[in-house]
């Protein structure tokens, strides 16, 4: 019997990405598989706190080993904003175009364009909590470029490249993204344990 592990997300893309990496020593369950449909309020002040809130909520309700992730954009000249507010930077409802408009407005005339995407994963494994982090460094463009990806991708140019995340194929982005780096650390940990 493979170990069962839940991923506290409704995002099928994220689930498939991890399932492909984990292999068949672990059977990955989604929140739909667990019939968990409650909204988990992300009230933490950091990505770490929010990831932890999500993993605990699901692990406690379903009595299962579980992990959750939280991500966002931190801009140096804005003291780390939008950070945990990335999804709703321009207010409710969450709107990527409005978020980018606000970000470009805030950075108008600002020379320091340094920014980073960050992902933190909280894993609850046999009663212990483990964290895995992934970071993608880069800069914020003056204007949007590209139509792929999601969120702030059209304005984010990863370090070492001259194109934005939104101009990359999914494979290119997944090779260097914050989320992919954190997920790789999680998968390496699980491969060492779940045999
Ligand atoms: P969950 O249901 O899994 O929580 P979410 O949309 O809240 O999905 P994240 O917590 O991963 O997703 O990210 C929060 C926001 O940060 C997201 O809505 C985007 O605005 C931004 N973001 C995160 N990762 C991104 C990426 O790879 N490219 C562009 N924007 C990203």
């Amino acid at each position: 019997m493979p170990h069962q592990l839940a991923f506290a997300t409704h995002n099928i893309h994220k689930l498939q990405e991890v399932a492909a990496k984990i292999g068949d020593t672990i059977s990955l369950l989604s929140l739909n598989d667990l019939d968990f449909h409650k909204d988990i309020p992300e009230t933490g002040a950091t990505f770490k706190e929010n990831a932890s809130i999500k993993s605990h909520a699901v692990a406690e309700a379903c009595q299962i080993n579980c992990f959750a992730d939280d991500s966002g954009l931190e801009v140096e000249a804005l003291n780390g904003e939008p950070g945990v507010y990335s999804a709703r930077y321009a207010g409710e409802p969450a709107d990527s175009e409005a978020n980018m408009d606000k970000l470009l407005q805030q950075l108008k005339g600002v020379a320091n364009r340094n920014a980073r995407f960050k992902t933190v994963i909280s894993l609850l494994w046999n009663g212990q909590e483990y964290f895995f982090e992934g970071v993608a460094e880069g800069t914020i463009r003056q204007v949007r470029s590209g139509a792929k990806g999601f969120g702030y991708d059209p304005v984010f140019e990863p370090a070492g490249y001259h194109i934005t995340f939104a101009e990359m194929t999914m494979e290119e982005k997944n090779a260097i993204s914050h989320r992919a780096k954190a997920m790789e650390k999680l998968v390496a940990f699980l491969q060492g344990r779940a045999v």
Side-chain angles (χ1 to χ4, degrees):
M1 251 300 260
H3 286 258
Q4 290 200 322
L5 178 66
F7 185 3
T9 182
H10 285 107
N11 186 327
I12 295 299
H13 288 286
K14 289 186 189 174
L15 193 85
Q16 286 169 344
E17 192 183 305
V18 183
K21 285 189 173 135
I22 280 186
D24 49 16
T25 53
I26 289 183
S27 148
L28 201 60
L29 302 177
S30 69
L31 293 183
N32 286 335
D33 294 331
L34 294 170
D35 218 11
F36 184 102
H37 301 288
K38 265 188 290 185
D39 186 40
I40 308 168
E42 297 183 25
T43 52
T46 61
F47 300 125
K48 192 173 174 180
E49 279 176 35
N50 280 336
S52 190
I53 288 169
K54 286 192 262 187
S55 65
H56 277 87
V58 174
E60 277 157 26
C62 305
Q63 294 297 305
I64 188 170
N65 284 332
C66 173
F67 71 94
D69 73 326
D70 195 41
S71 314
L73 181 70
E74 294 180 340
V75 178
E76 212 171 85
L78 301 177
N79 300 316
E81 277 188 18
V84 290
Y85 305 107
S86 292
R88 288 164 187 79
Y89 189 39
E92 301 273 3
D95 176 347
S96 293
E97 294 304 322
N99 290 340
M100 283 189 285
D101 284 342
K102 178 169 177 184
L103 180 65
L104 294 177
Q105 187 60 38
Q106 296 287 326
L107 289 177
K108 217 169 190 171
V110 176
N112 178 3
R113 315 289 297 188
N114 293 339
R116 49 180 7 203
F117 274 121
K118 194 188 270 183
T119 293
V120 178
I121 294 173
S122 154
L123 169 70
L124 287 168
W125 184 259
N126 299 338
Q128 283 236 54
E129 185 165 22
Y130 303 87
F131 292 99
F132 307 93
E133 192 175 303
V135 169
E137 300 283 353
T139 49
I140 302 300
R141 288 275 189 93
Q142 301 286 346
V143 292
R144 296 163 168 79
S145 193
K148 294 193 263 287
F150 70 102
Y152 297 88
D153 282 345
V155 294
F156 184 81
E157 180 178 303
Y161 292 79
H162 297 291
I163 55 175
T164 66
F165 264 176
E167 293 172 299
M168 292 184 164
T169 62
M170 213 208 303
E171 289 73 25
E172 283 173 317
K173 183 184 165 188
N174 280 345
I176 60 169
S177 84
H178 47 304
R179 190 172 301 99
K181 285 177 190 164
M183 291 295 178
E184 275 158 23
K185 291 180 190 170
L186 168 74
V187 170
F189 174 93
L190 292 172
Q191 283 168 343
R193 309 258 162 163
V195 284

